[in-house]
Amino acid sequence: MNFSSLANLPGYSIVVVSCIFAVLCGIVFKDILEYQFAQWKAKGNPSEIHYKTGNLKVAYLLTSLFATICVCTSLSTFEVPPLFAYPLGAVVVIPTAILVWVQLDSMLSLAAREGLDSIRIDVEMSDREAFQANKNS
């Protein structure tokens, strides 16, 4: 196999491949998280959800890495200079990935402390809508 031909792949090929790998790693991340959540529920909802396993962290890091590669190469495909495209893509994806991880931690901690009803958005929204309807009447 000639590895120099891999280095000469068109930019859009790298975009497609990195996007596919990001989605696949995201699916693995979702499945691991669902499994950990099911184990937490099966134990009778203890006070803490143990989800920060090595497998979950690796899946999330790989998802973030491939998403970063996808965004960076997408920008460079549109004639953005690489010295501008790669840092810009990293600045867009990496802080977002960190924010999602922190919010996931916050949401799961809230669910462990106050139960699953505390994170149900649809219940809270309907309560707010009913409150607003009564207030306007």
Side-chain angles (χ1 to χ4, degrees):
M1 174 176 231
N2 189 1
F3 289 107
S4 64
S5 65
L6 289 176
N8 295 327
L9 282 175
Y12 56 84
S13 298
I14 297 171
V15 171
V16 171
V17 169
S18 61
C19 184
I20 289 171
F21 279 118
V23 169
L24 291 175
C25 291
I27 291 170
V28 169
F29 172 75
K30 174 197 69 86
D31 288 343
I32 294 170
L33 191 60
E34 283 179 349
Y35 176 74
Q36 294 295 335
F37 196 73
Q39 279 189 329
W40 173 75
K41 283 176 63 175
K43 291 179 182 176
N45 301 343
S47 64
E48 188 176 343
I49 301 174
H50 299 286
Y51 70 95
K52 291 183 180 179
T53 62
N55 294 337
L56 189 77
K57 290 178 183 178
V58 168
Y60 191 73
L61 286 174
L62 286 175
T63 302
S64 301
L65 173 71
F66 286 119
T68 304
I69 292 170
C70 181
V71 170
C72 292
T73 54
S74 294
L75 288 172
S76 65
T77 300
F78 293 110
E79 305 289 330
V80 176
L83 288 176
F84 182 70
Y86 298 146
L88 181 63
V91 165
V92 168
V93 176
I94 293 171
T96 304
I98 292 169
L99 178 65
V100 168
W101 184 260
V102 169
Q103 289 300 316
L104 176 69
D105 183 42
S106 175
M107 183 184 74
L108 292 178
S109 297
L110 181 67
R113 280 192 321 268
E114 298 180 21
L116 292 176
D117 287 336
S118 64
I119 60 171
R120 289 195 178 159
I121 296 172
D122 58 340
V123 173
E124 289 186 40
M125 290 301 288
S126 63
D127 289 343
R128 280 190 232 148
E129 289 172 358
F131 177 75
Q132 288 295 332
N134 289 336
K135 185 177 177 182
N136 293 336
S137 297

